Amino acid sequence: TVYCTGRSVRGGLASGDSRPETIEETAEQVTALGGRGIAVRVDHTVEAEVEALCQRIRTEAGKLDVLVNDIWGGETLHELGLPFWKQSPAKARLMFDRAVYTHIVTSRYAVPLMLERDRGLIVEVTDGDSFGYRGGVSYDVTKMAVIRLAFAMSRDLRRTNITALAVTPGFLRSEEMLDGFGVKEANWRDAVKKVPDFIASETPSYVGRGVAALAADPHVHRRAGRVVASWTLAREYGFTDLDGSQPHWAEYFERTYGKPYTVADDAAYASWMGGSIEIVCPDWPVD
């Protein structure tokens, strides 16, 4: 059972953008694939609406196993390539509200459902599995904040059986990206003539299968607080994209650009561990 939430509903684009996709369409796809999709119109920047959603899940389903925080809404807001002193503060603030605050407030009301059974998985969807610069200050801070959020939540959850982590797709072949390149999924390779790196792209289902594999892994807690890429999960769990391929952005990058691909490995996370607050106040947080 999958609750598909958002602001874009059939009969009116409540999100205020121009995308035609709706939560009803997403729910129908879930049902068509053998699950049970439930569309719920929720503005995740509105605390009361998020709280009502979680109350509904408790009433109807009685539990929550997986929370996927993939709330973004920033495609028209990021200003990649512009130095921060030329970027719009208003756009930056809206991006933070949509893509970071929403994750915090949704986790705030969803995780208590998991705590009732002391089990669950929280997935923060981000961009990139490294701590490198992402080409624009607002965008960089937003996507790194999501990675940090997974880590910070994992510290609060360290005495539970609930796992918080972050997941990134590679070069995502989303509907919006396909439209931007003037192609469809059936002929997406035509866009490679304009953007050669698109040859290493992947469908949204690829990272989705990664999330499903994590949810089914009884040892997923070993990844608590970390960020992991779709291609890494594909190799480990043995799944493919819809066409049977296994896109691997890191290998493509190294092969194409002749530079090592940096990743947030154990060494990168080492300085995040053992913070002074955890030493001075080892019992924090207090339930």
Side-chain angles (χ1 to χ4, degrees):
T1 300
V2 183
Y3 285 82
C4 309
T5 66
R7 297 177 299 174
S8 294
V9 295
R10 214 165 256 159
L13 294 176
S15 65
D17 62 27
S18 60
R19 296 304 309 165
E21 296 83 19
T22 65
I23 56 175
E24 291 91 347
E25 176 189 11
T26 303
E28 288 164 2
Q29 291 176 354
V30 170
T31 302
L33 289 170
R36 180 185 176 217
I38 302 173
V40 185
R41 197 277 182 192
V42 178
D43 183 337
H44 285 262
T45 65
V46 180
E47 184 178 354
E49 292 189 20
V50 176
E51 184 176 14
L53 165 69
C54 295
Q55 288 289 357
R56 175 175 173 176
I57 294 172
R58 173 181 278 109
T59 300
E60 294 180 353
K63 64 174 184 175
L64 179 63
D65 299 306
V66 181
L67 168 64
V68 180
N69 275 326
D70 192 21
I71 313 160
W72 166 226
E75 287 298 339
T76 61
L77 301 176
H78 66 68
E79 298 175 299
L80 299 180
L82 280 181
F84 66 86
W85 57 89
K86 292 184 178 181
Q87 291 188 354
S88 164
K91 287 184 176 180
R93 182 171 186 173
L94 184 54
M95 189 189 301
F96 297 157
D97 282 347
R98 288 182 175 180
V100 180
Y101 172 74
T102 54
H103 292 215
I104 293 172
V105 72
T106 304
S107 297
R108 159 63 181 84
Y109 287 101
V111 170
L113 282 145
M114 297 179 175
L115 289 168
E116 291 171 3
R117 301 169 65 235
D118 192 27
R119 59 177 294 182
L121 175 65
I122 307 163
V123 179
E124 292 291 325
V125 180
T126 186
D127 179 12
D129 61 342
S130 77
F131 296 160
Y133 177 56
R134 287 163 170 76
V137 165
S138 298
Y139 184 81
D140 179 82
V141 172
T142 297
K143 295 304 182 180
M144 274 300 296
V146 171
I147 292 175
R148 181 70 187 192
L149 179 57
F151 172 80
M153 288 193 297
S154 77
R155 302 313 297 158
D156 278 8
L157 292 166
R158 64 188 181 278
R159 299 184 189 89
T160 74
N161 291 311
I162 301 169
T163 301
L165 51 78
V167 171
T168 181
F171 199 153
L172 192 62
R173 204 159 65 244
S174 65
E175 295 89 345
E176 188 160 15
M177 188 67 74
L178 290 168
D179 287 350
F181 289 162
V183 294
K184 300 295 183 182
E185 179 61 26
N187 68 325
W188 69 267
R189 287 177 177 81
D190 291 347
V192 175
K193 301 171 186 176
K194 300 178 181 178
V195 185
D197 290 342
F198 202 50
I199 194 63
S201 64
E202 63 191 60
T203 73
S205 292
Y206 198 45
V207 70
R209 289 176 172 182
V211 171
L214 288 166
D217 185 351
H219 306 295
V220 68
H221 199 67
R222 74 189 191 280
R223 297 189 189 275
R226 303 293 288 270
V227 59
V228 62
S230 57
W231 57 88
T232 302
L233 296 173
R235 290 284 177 85
E236 179 172 336
Y237 292 111
F239 63 84
T240 66
D241 207 340
L242 295 180
D243 61 0
S245 66
Q246 275 191 328
H248 197 293
W249 175 256
E251 290 184 354
Y252 169 82
F253 175 88
E254 292 184 343
R255 184 172 62 250
T256 303
Y257 293 98
K259 300 288 185 180
Y261 180 88
T262 58
V263 64
D265 55 14
D266 290 342
Y269 272 93
S271 66
W272 285 19
M273 301 300 295
S276 59
I277 194 68
E278 292 191 72
I279 295 173
V280 176
C281 304
D283 294 329
W284 281 17
V286 178
D287 188 356

